[in-house]
Amino acid sequence: TLIGAALVVVLVLIFVRIARLGTAEALVGRSGDELVARSADLHSPLGVLLTLGSFLAVWPALWLVLPLVHKRKANTLFGPDGKMKWRHFRLGMSVSLLVGAVAWGPLVYNHADEILIFPNLRSWAILAAIGLPMIFVQCVAEELMFRGYMLQQFAARSMSVLGWSVIPSILFGLAHPSDAGLFSMSWYHFVFGLVMAAVTSRTANLGAAAGIHFGNNLINLLLIAPSQMVSGLALFAIPSQIDFSGSRIAYLVMMFVG
């Protein structure tokens, strides 16, 4: 597991640069270090799109490591039959969108006059159309890595919930530095990871978790986002003076209970 995980990390780091350069070329017709550096600006549309494009790096890394190191097909990360269960995906996405609407709706209603709106709706619609498939790639890549590869590798060595659920969720929280809190970990993403691990364990497939993740990111990346976080593509941006923690906690509580 350690050798495989280390190789995955190395390959992802190598492929990330290629993925960002390719995304920059596809989006604006040119690439380069200066343009790729803008992926660090998560308050701009291009920065968010370049960041989403970098998740393309996860796919080839896993597709190389699984057969080479672990002697199994990479598509088994989706589940025992090697396929994504799309019915589970649609159900997970629907539940996530519904819960998200309930969690964020009161905040939007109570602060309608303060929330910032994307300056040009036509431009937002075009960016959203570009971002939609990229968000799908990003969500499934993270599920393949954390609830596919890591969960399965830890579970193969320990049936303890600490092994297959908690440790991958800690790593998932650490992988989101833009939202980091105590101990440099995003506690929101840690709890979200626990929910996704439980869903994956219950369904024995990544479909439902990927659908929930996709629905969550559609809301948090394309529809409404705190202005100080990943807000470059959001239709509505929450100003920093508005406390949004209640909405995020409500979302996690409803998903966890569900």
Side-chain angles (χ1 to χ4, degrees):
T1 295
L2 289 177
I3 295 175
L7 186 55
V8 168
V9 171
V10 170
L11 289 175
V12 166
L13 291 175
I14 293 172
F15 291 145
V16 157
R17 178 169 175 77
I18 299 173
R20 284 179 175 167
L21 288 171
T23 302
E25 184 72 34
L27 290 175
V28 298
R30 60 188 178 89
S31 59
D33 291 338
E34 182 180 349
L35 190 61
V36 171
R38 293 178 62 181
S39 61
D41 181 9
L42 300 179
H43 309 304
S44 73
L46 181 58
V48 177
L49 291 174
L50 288 173
T51 299
L52 292 173
S54 68
F55 283 87
L56 287 166
V58 174
W59 294 69
L62 290 173
W63 255 247
L64 285 171
V65 169
L66 264 292
L68 288 175
V69 177
H70 302 292
K71 309 303 179 185
R72 65 187 179 103
K73 294 181 179 180
N75 64 347
T76 57
L77 294 175
F78 289 111
D81 60 358
K83 298 178 182 179
M84 173 94 81
K85 290 187 177 179
W86 292 104
R87 185 176 67 85
H88 288 184
F89 179 91
R90 292 191 295 270
L91 179 60
M93 181 181 66
S94 300
V95 170
S96 186
L97 290 173
L98 177 61
V99 172
V102 173
W104 288 101
L107 183 142
V108 174
Y109 179 80
N110 292 328
H111 298 278
D113 295 336
E114 303 170 74
I115 289 178
L116 307 173
I117 302 177
F118 200 91
N120 187 305
L121 291 180
R122 184 174 181 274
S123 296
W124 174 81
I126 294 173
L127 289 168
I130 296 171
L132 195 67
M134 297 177 74
I135 291 173
F136 174 82
V137 168
Q138 173 256 324
C139 291
V140 178
E142 289 193 337
E143 292 308 313
L144 284 169
M145 175 65 82
F146 292 99
R147 263 69 64 179
Y149 181 68
M150 290 187 181
L151 186 151
Q152 290 177 15
Q153 289 303 119
F154 279 113
R157 286 155 177 76
S158 172
M159 291 303 293
S160 168
V161 69
L162 176 65
W164 61 262
S165 177
V166 176
I167 294 177
S169 298
I170 290 174
L171 296 174
F172 186 60
L174 291 171
H176 291 80
S178 64
D179 195 22
L182 187 63
F183 303 124
S184 299
M185 181 169 72
S186 168
W187 292 92
Y188 173 84
H189 288 92
F190 168 68
V191 177
F192 186 81
L194 292 177
V195 174
M196 295 301 95
V199 169
T200 303
S201 175
R202 177 64 66 90
T203 60
N205 192 271
L206 285 186
I212 292 171
H213 199 157
F214 185 59
N216 175 75
N217 283 16
L218 285 181
I219 293 174
N220 291 337
L221 294 180
L222 288 185
L223 294 180
I224 183 165
S227 59
Q228 67 269 36
M229 295 173 64
V230 187
S231 57
L233 292 179
L235 178 60
F236 302 111
I238 305 170
S240 57
Q241 69 269 20
I242 296 177
D243 182 11
F244 58 89
S245 59
S247 296
R248 301 187 92 194
I249 292 172
Y251 177 85
L252 287 177
V253 169
M254 285 187 281
M255 293 304 299
F256 198 84
V257 171

